[in-house]
């Protein structure tokens, strides 16, 4: 049965190709669309993901890494006293205006990190060195924000909320969910740029003792300092992501577009499979006249549907990885989680199999008598 | 119940035995009666022809013998098995096991090579592909197509196609071979060739052959000839007269 199914499918190249295009279209659409979505939404937790902290501690009910509420800095001692905490450092995140050479200005997110540890500091440094941020008035910008910030070079001087800032290093691809570029500097200088009293802090970044349980430490921190909230890195990343998902309907709009594409692709497959069968009704009639049973016929259709799904999925995923390689940028990263690829292929397979039911109904009703009468 | 001795022996030997078969095609309220009172019996190993005017019901009768159609009335026994009451799945199983078909228009599967076409009945029976292919190649050699094993139907002549179909009908080693106008799409020489092959290969293993035909040129291959007309089948007294007639003509 397998070889009959395979050979008759291959014999009809035109139709096979149409079905493959349908499957490939669906797989590529789901993965690229999904990849863009995850790439975009993941930016919402960029600081958390790259911050090298095991646990993020901040104001009660903190819900987005880019929008913190400040807490008294002196509480850091209480955090440090919690068992399992190896190190805790203050961290500032806030908005400021950068004055541009043209006379305009651009809103930026200032991130202030601890001088001694540089915990939560810039990463992917492409020009200069991370520790250059310790120099006077030093700030670190990202290369990808060049256009917005009017092409600052190393050594260029800008103003942040009317205070002098000098570009000492540049990262590559550190772009957040907000349109405002990240500006890394030291904790003290960030306080000045943000005009914050020196005894305020946005977060305490915590690194744990080896073997300490993040959940347990978070629970301890919450219990001992009820004004604070504490989350393991992953969880706070997820909280920041869901902030945008739930408040903007982003997930729904991406999801709807993806689903629609999936539908179009699948209609193509179902339609092709049906046309393939209609074209070969006589052959199915011959098989039935020779004594083929329902299960023989259905096996042929299932095998053909599976081949289409499988071949289309493989080609589709290959195309996706190509697209990812050539079109993924820090501005619009395409991040395809493995489960999205696997899930989309599985879904395509299931839909292909289900869509073979329609032609099967047609063949089931076929009277083998037709073979003798034509 | 006392069964007459003659009938008992008869049914043991009969490949096909039908009695009082009637068949009408119904479409909505209208109904076309085709067969009315058909009775005939064909012994194992015999080559019987069904002849008659167009529209007389030859194909209908062949389909009933082939378990594709069911009779409205009467009894149909194929190798002793009553088929009228069987459900479609049982009839399909019987076709697969006992009957090989040869059609006027060959009905080969386009996407498959000659050998793959011949192997189809074996595939349907679950024979391993390698074994099936070996058997298909043997059969193709027997029908003189040893050099066309991997050719596709598109690249074969009509005569070659019918020989592939013949090999396919034989592949499952059926005891009964049914052919509906097997020579009608072929020229005289090819028709005679195919018929000779069919008779030779069927006779070799004692298979029963029933052929529907208009083609008087091949009447000489028949052991018995049944004339189907006006809803009945009557046996020609001496087919050899027919054959000499055909030859004379
Ligand atoms: N499915 C059907 N529905 C209605 N009428 C049918 C059907 N099939 C056949 N008939 C009619 O039944 C009659 C017998 O048909 P059948 O095909 O058995 O004749 P035949 O002897 O094989 O003819 P031919 O020599 O032309 O092949 C014809 O009048 C035909 O029109
Ligand atoms: Mg006919």
């Amino acid at each position: 049965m397998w070889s009959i199914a395979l050979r008759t499918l291959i014999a009809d190249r035109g139709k096979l190709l149409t079905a493959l295009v349908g499957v490939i279209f669906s797989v590529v659409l789901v993965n690229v669309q999904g990849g863009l979505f995850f790439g975009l939404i993941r930016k919402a937790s960029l600081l958390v993901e790259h911050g090298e902290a095991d646990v993020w501690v901040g104001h009660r009910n903190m819900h987005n890494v880019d929008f913190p509420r400040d807490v008294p800095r002196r509480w850091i001692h209480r955090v440090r006293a919690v068992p399992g905490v190896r190190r805790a450092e203050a961290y500032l995140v806030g908005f400021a205006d950068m004055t541009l050479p043209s006379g305009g200005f651009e809103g930026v997110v200032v991130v202030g990190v601890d001088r001694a540890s540089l915990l939560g500091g810039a990463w992917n440094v492409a020009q200069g060195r991370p520790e250059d941020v310790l120099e006077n008035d030093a700030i670190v910008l990202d290369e990808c924000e060049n256009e917005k910030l009017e092409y600052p070079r190393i050594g260029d001087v800008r103003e942040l909320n009317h205070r002098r800032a000098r570009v000492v290093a540049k990262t590559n691809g550190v772009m957040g969910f907000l349109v405002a570029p990240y500006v890394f500097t030291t904790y003290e200088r960030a306080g000045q740029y943000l005009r914050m009293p020196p005894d305020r802090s946005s977060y305490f970044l915590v690194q744990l003792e080896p073997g300490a349980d993040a959940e347990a430490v978070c629970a301890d921190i919450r219990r001992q300092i009820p004004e604070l909230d504490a989350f393991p890195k992953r969880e706070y990343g997820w909280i920041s992501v869901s902030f945008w998902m739930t408040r903007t309907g982003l997930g729904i709009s991406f999801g709807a577009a993806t689903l629609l594409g999936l539908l179009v692709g699948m209609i193509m497959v179902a339609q092709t499979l049906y046309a393939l069968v209609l074209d070969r009704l006589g052959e199915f009639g011959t098989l039935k006249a020779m004594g083929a049973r329902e299960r023989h016929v259905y096996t042929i259709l299932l095998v053909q549907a599976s081949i289409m799904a499988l071949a289309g999925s493989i080609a589709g995923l290959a195309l996706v990885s190509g697209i990812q390689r050539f079109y993924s940028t820090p501005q619009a990263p395409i991040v395809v989680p493995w489960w999205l690829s696997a899930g989309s292929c599985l879904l395509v397979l299931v839909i292909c199999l289900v869509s073979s039911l329609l032609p099967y109904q047609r063949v089931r009703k076929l009277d083998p008598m037709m073979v003798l009468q034509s | 119940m006392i069964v007459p001795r003659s009938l008992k022996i008869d049914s043991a030997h009969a490949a096909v035995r039908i009695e009082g078969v009637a068949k009408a095609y119904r479409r909505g309220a209208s109904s076309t009666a085709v067969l009315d009172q058909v009775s005939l019996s064909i012994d194992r190993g015999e080559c019987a022809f069904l002849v008659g005017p167009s529209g007389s019901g030859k194909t209908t009768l062949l389909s009933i013998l082939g378990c594709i159609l069911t009779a409205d009335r009467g009894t149909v026994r194929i190798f002793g098995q009553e088929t009228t009451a069987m459900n479609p799945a049982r009839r399909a199983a019987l076709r697969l096991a006992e009957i090989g078909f040869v059609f006027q228009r060959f009905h080969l599967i386009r996407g498959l090579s000659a050998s793959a076409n011949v192997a189809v009945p074996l595939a349907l029976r679950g024979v391993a592909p390698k074994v099936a292919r070996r058997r298909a190649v043997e059969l193709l050699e027997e029908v003189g197509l040893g050099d066309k094993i991997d050719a596709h139907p598109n690249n074969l002549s009509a005569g070659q196609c019918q020989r592939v179909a013949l090999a396919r009908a034989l592949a499952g080693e059926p005891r009964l071979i049914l052919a509906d106008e097997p020579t009608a799409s072929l020229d005289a020489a090819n028709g005679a060739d195919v018929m000779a092959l069919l008779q030779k290969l069927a006779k070799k293993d004692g298979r029963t052959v029933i052929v529907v035909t208009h083609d008087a040129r091949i009447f000489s291959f028949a052991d018995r000839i049944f004339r189907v007309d006006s809803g009945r089948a009557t046996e020609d007294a001496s087919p050899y007269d027919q054959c000499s007639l055909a030859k004379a003509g």
Side-chain angles (χ1 to χ4, degrees):
Chain A
M1 282 307 105
W2 275 83
S3 78
I4 294 178
L6 181 65
R7 289 181 203 196
T8 49
L9 183 64
I10 292 173
D12 212 332
R13 282 197 202 94
K15 293 231 171 49
L16 176 60
L17 238 63
T18 317
L20 282 183
V21 167
V23 174
I24 292 172
F25 179 74
S26 290
V27 169
V28 168
L29 205 103
V30 170
N31 281 279
V32 171
Q33 185 86 349
L36 280 168
F37 172 71
F38 287 110
L40 176 65
I41 205 74
R42 213 181 65 164
K43 290 171 160 190
S45 63
L46 195 73
L47 287 180
V48 181
E49 254 177 66
H50 292 274
E52 290 175 336
D54 299 320
V55 166
W56 284 65
V57 182
H59 196 281
R60 241 184 104 90
N61 295 335
M62 59 192 196
H63 50 221
N64 188 311
V65 66
D66 292 322
F67 302 138
R69 276 196 71 183
D70 49 338
V71 294
R73 187 181 180 181
R74 61 178 186 283
W75 287 354
I76 196 167
H77 303 296
R78 300 168 71 186
V79 173
R80 282 177 177 151
V82 172
V85 173
R86 180 164 62 88
R87 149 193 280 170
E89 303 298 349
Y91 196 66
L92 268 184
V93 177
F95 289 86
D97 279 337
M98 179 183 277
T99 315
L100 303 177
S102 65
F105 55 88
E106 181 75 34
V108 297
V109 177
V110 175
V111 178
V113 303
D114 173 60
R115 288 189 73 90
S117 61
L118 294 186
L119 187 58
W123 65 95
N124 273 0
V125 176
Q127 301 174 39
R129 292 165 305 154
E131 54 273 26
D132 291 343
V133 78
L134 299 175
E135 290 173 18
N136 279 340
D137 301 330
I139 57 169
V140 179
L141 302 177
D142 194 271
E143 287 174 343
C144 300
E145 309 281 17
N146 273 348
E147 206 179 328
K148 264 185 246 167
L149 302 180
E150 298 183 357
Y151 301 91
R153 280 168 312 189
I154 301 287
D156 278 8
V157 173
R158 296 288 154 95
E159 279 184 356
L160 278 172
N161 282 354
H162 306 299
R163 278 174 181 276
R164 195 179 129 89
R166 196 163 51 89
V167 182
V168 295
K170 288 176 111 180
T171 55
N172 185 280
V174 179
M175 299 183 79
F177 188 80
L178 305 170
V179 283
Y182 283 122
V183 174
F184 289 90
T185 184
T186 58
Y187 179 90
E188 290 74 19
R189 214 168 310 117
Q192 293 166 7
Y193 290 141
L194 298 172
R195 297 194 188 109
M196 285 240 265
D199 65 332
R200 307 303 289 180
S201 180
S202 305
Y203 295 104
F204 305 124
L205 303 195
V206 171
Q207 287 185 330
L208 299 176
E209 299 280 7
D213 175 32
E215 292 284 356
V217 171
C218 288
D220 265 3
I221 294 174
R222 271 186 232 123
R223 185 150 17 86
Q224 295 188 18
I225 321 161
E227 297 87 346
L228 294 184
D229 236 337
F231 296 110
K233 172 179 178 169
R234 274 185 74 99
E235 193 177 346
Y236 194 45
W238 174 240
I239 288 171
S240 296
V241 164
S242 24
F243 175 87
W244 294 109
M245 291 242 265
T246 52
R247 294 184 193 209
T248 59
L250 207 63
I252 294 172
S253 58
F254 263 91
T258 308
L259 228 62
L260 217 64
L262 195 69
L263 205 72
V264 171
M266 286 306 119
I267 288 174
M268 275 169 86
V269 172
Q271 142 75 21
T272 308
L273 215 56
Y274 195 65
L276 203 70
V277 168
L278 279 193
D279 246 25
R280 294 172 176 274
L281 275 183
E283 295 182 358
F284 279 108
T286 309
L287 287 179
K288 287 184 93 166
M290 287 195 292
R293 309 285 284 276
E294 300 294 318
R295 68 184 160 84
H296 291 129
V297 171
Y298 198 46
T299 305
I300 291 177
L301 292 175
L302 280 186
V303 168
Q304 293 186 338
S306 313
I307 291 171
M308 286 179 186
L310 218 70
S313 294
I314 291 170
L317 287 184
L319 206 61
V320 167
S321 85
I323 290 172
Q324 209 176 356
R325 171 160 304 162
F326 293 109
Y327 293 101
S328 184
T329 60
Q331 285 88 344
I334 303 174
V335 177
V336 186
W338 68 268
W339 55 262
L340 181 65
S341 300
S344 62
C345 292
L346 201 71
L347 191 65
V348 160
L349 179 66
V350 168
I351 297 179
C352 278
L353 293 183
V354 170
S355 71
S356 71
L357 280 171
L358 189 71
Y360 173 63
Q361 288 308 318
R362 188 73 185 75
V363 175
R364 217 166 60 89
K365 288 200 204 106
L366 207 62
D367 186 352
M369 187 64 195
M370 67 178 280
V371 180
L372 285 153
Q373 284 174 330
S374 62
Chain B
M1 184 180 140
I2 300 161
V3 180
R5 192 181 151 76
S6 63
L7 198 68
K8 227 172 167 181
I9 292 168
D10 188 13
S11 65
H13 283 273
V16 166
R17 184 180 178 79
I18 65 176
E19 268 170 82
V21 162
K23 180 74 189 175
Y25 289 106
R26 260 167 228 99
R27 188 164 289 159
S30 73
S31 146
T32 329
V34 180
L35 302 177
D36 179 32
Q37 264 293 331
V38 178
S39 300
L40 55 79
S41 168
I42 297 165
D43 284 348
R44 298 180 187 208
E46 275 187 329
C47 179
F49 276 31
L50 304 178
V51 304
S54 185
S56 58
K58 304 182 295 296
T59 297
T60 305
L61 179 53
L62 195 77
S63 305
I64 290 171
L65 295 175
C67 308
I68 286 177
L69 278 185
T70 47
D72 295 340
R73 210 158 19 83
T75 57
V76 179
R77 282 179 189 282
I78 309 296
F79 299 109
Q81 300 183 65
E82 170 57 65
T83 65
T84 321
M86 286 182 179
N87 64 25
R90 284 266 293 136
R91 276 186 279 127
L94 185 65
R95 288 202 294 278
L96 188 57
E98 303 279 16
I99 304 173
F101 288 93
V102 179
F103 309 105
Q104 177 182 342
R105 292 193 205 288
F106 329 134
H107 288 295
L108 297 177
I109 292 173
R110 271 173 295 156
L112 301 182
S113 67
S115 58
N117 261 294
V118 174
V120 166
L122 298 172
L124 291 176
R125 288 163 171 223
V127 174
K130 265 194 184 151
V131 179
R133 183 177 156 86
R134 206 176 318 128
R135 174 95 185 103
V137 170
E138 276 170 26
L139 277 163
L140 284 172
E141 279 164 357
E142 282 190 66
V143 298
L145 291 176
D147 55 338
K148 299 286 183 199
I149 285 160
D150 293 316
H152 279 249
N154 291 344
N155 304 324
L156 295 174
S157 71
Q160 289 169 332
C161 281
Q162 196 59 303
R163 280 188 276 167
V164 173
L166 189 56
R168 177 177 68 181
L170 290 162
E173 312 221 310
R175 287 192 284 174
L176 175 61
I177 292 174
L178 301 180
D180 194 2
E181 315 258 15
T183 61
S185 302
L186 308 177
D187 60 37
N190 267 311
D193 276 0
V194 163
M195 210 43 233
L197 262 174
L198 172 57
Q199 201 188 35
K200 185 185 106 191
L201 295 175
K203 279 268 151 75
K204 190 180 76 173
D205 299 308
R207 304 188 208 288
T208 310
V209 180
I210 302 176
V211 178
V212 165
T213 190
H214 280 117
D215 190 351
R217 293 169 306 198
I218 60 168
F219 283 3
S220 57
F221 292 99
D223 295 329
R224 299 165 72 188
I225 293 180
F226 293 90
R227 203 160 279 285
V228 181
D229 204 355
S230 317
R232 285 162 196 270
T234 47
E235 183 165 3
D236 276 16
S238 68
Y240 300 103
D241 292 350
Q242 283 284 350
C243 115
S244 51
L245 259 174
K247 274 178 186 156

